[in-house]
Amino acid sequence: MLRLSIHTILRGTLVASGMGSFLGATSLQVAAQDRTPMRVAVEGAFPPFNYVDVNSKLQGFDIDIANALCEVGKFECQFIIEKWDDMIPNLVGGKYDAIISSMSMSLERRQKVAFTEKYYSSPSVFIVRKDSSINDVSPAALSDKNLGLTSSTVQESFANNLYPEMKKTVFRSSPELYNGLADGSVDVILEDKLAIYDWMANTKAGSCCEFQGPDLLDVTYFGEGAGIALRLDDKERLTRLNEALKSIKADGTYDMINAKYFPFSIQ
């Protein structure tokens, strides 16, 4: 674990010393009062960034970063698993306070929510099966192919605008998208490069496939990296999260989390 919560530390100390429940409750109440509540939305279906493990616990790069930011920024954080399509509307509506779920900071999204500084960067890329004849990913070359995309992503927006005539199959989640490529339901997919790296490098199913074409970095569609989304008027929380992000990058915490998931820097 990256951190041991202050509640766990205090609880363990009080139990070990045999002190009464009154003192324990008082100490925990003081600790909670020192921290700002923050409800954090995550998708839980985007490994290795965020996913639910076999023990029904949230894991992944986003989760570890969120925990580190909550510790340094003195937030009392609660994770809420949310459907990707509902995240921004429900953030704006007040269901939670932040989205820490690998959300690209596109220009379209910036009109609806505020973002922190980026906490990682990743290009998008086309992926095909290794036995595919596709070696050109221009709109003309792919005009008769079936392109797989994940719903409500920057990749879907990019493809709808730059590949308007191409047949498209939209999947509800990234794991379903990957399966669609592996089983031949689609000819090619467009996905975040870091997200699919784990599937391609570390799973038997992913060994079927390879990157095709250049990295796609158009900021109009893909933004300037992944950031934490907040309501537009939540300026104090934005400042505190930016300061916490700067802190975990300076003290080595960020690098430790990075190395846990990737053999290269993703800053």
Side-chain angles (χ1 to χ4, degrees), residues 34-258:
D34 288 342
R35 292 173 174 260
T36 302
M38 184 164 72
R39 299 159 298 171
V40 179
V42 295
E43 183 186 15
F46 193 55
F49 290 96
N50 58 81
Y51 61 95
V52 179
D53 68 14
V54 294
N55 297 312
S56 299
K57 292 184 179 180
L58 277 169
Q59 303 285 357
F61 178 85
D62 289 331
I63 309 306
D64 289 354
I65 289 292
N67 281 330
L69 293 175
C70 290
E71 187 69 21
V72 172
K74 297 187 182 301
F75 292 105
E76 188 71 21
C77 289
Q78 173 194 358
F79 291 102
I80 298 172
I81 296 177
E82 182 65 280
K83 294 179 180 178
W84 181 259
D85 292 0
D86 296 336
M87 282 192 175
I88 288 180
N90 284 341
L91 171 66
V92 173
K95 182 178 179 180
Y96 30 77
D97 306 300
I99 299 171
I100 307 181
S101 195
S102 290
M103 183 165 281
S104 299
M105 300 183 289
S106 67
L107 295 178
E108 180 181 357
R109 288 174 179 155
R110 284 187 182 276
Q111 296 175 9
K112 302 173 183 177
V113 297
F115 282 103
T116 61
E117 297 296 321
K118 71 176 181 180
Y119 66 97
Y120 79 85
S121 295
S122 178
S124 291
V125 67
F126 287 100
I127 304 97
V128 300
R129 291 184 299 279
K130 290 178 179 177
D131 60 1
S132 172
S133 61
I134 296 173
N135 54 25
D136 181 350
V137 292
S138 66
L142 294 180
S143 61
D144 63 341
K145 305 299 183 184
N146 187 356
L147 173 64
L149 302 158
T150 304
S151 174
S152 300
T153 58
V154 292
Q155 290 82 20
E156 183 184 17
S157 177
F158 175 86
N160 285 339
N161 282 275
L162 275 71
Y163 293 73
E165 305 302 324
M166 191 175 182
K167 180 181 178 182
K168 302 175 185 72
T169 299
V170 179
F171 296 87
R172 292 176 299 177
S173 68
S174 290
E176 291 177 276
L177 175 70
Y178 305 164
N179 289 337
L181 178 62
D183 67 18
S185 298
V186 294
D187 302 306
V188 55
I189 65 174
L190 180 60
E191 174 63 308
D192 179 282
K193 192 171 186 178
L194 286 181
I196 202 168
Y197 167 83
D198 180 68
W199 179 73
M200 293 173 68
N202 299 316
T203 71
K204 182 177 180 180
S207 65
C208 68
C209 303
E210 62 186 4
F211 298 125
Q212 186 60 258
D215 289 349
L216 303 174
L217 299 165
D218 188 333
V219 297
T220 301
Y221 297 99
F222 305 117
E224 299 173 341
I228 298 168
L230 306 164
R231 285 182 289 277
L232 290 170
D233 61 354
D234 200 353
K235 299 186 185 304
E236 180 185 357
R237 199 186 310 269
L238 177 66
T239 298
R240 286 176 61 180
L241 281 170
N242 275 330
E243 290 174 349
L245 184 57
K246 182 178 179 180
S247 177
I248 67 170
K249 287 183 176 181
D251 68 11
T253 301
Y254 183 97
D255 290 339
M256 179 179 70
I257 298 171
N258 188 146

Side-chain angles (χ1 to χ4, degrees), residues 11-47:
R11 188 179 297 113
T13 302
L14 292 169
V15 170
S17 65
M19 298 182 75
S21 60
F22 174 78
L23 286 179
T26 302
S27 297
L28 292 177
Q29 288 167 1
V30 170
Q33 290 171 359
D34 288 342
R35 292 173 174 260
T36 302
M38 184 164 72
R39 299 159 298 171
V40 179
V42 295
E43 183 186 15
F46 193 55

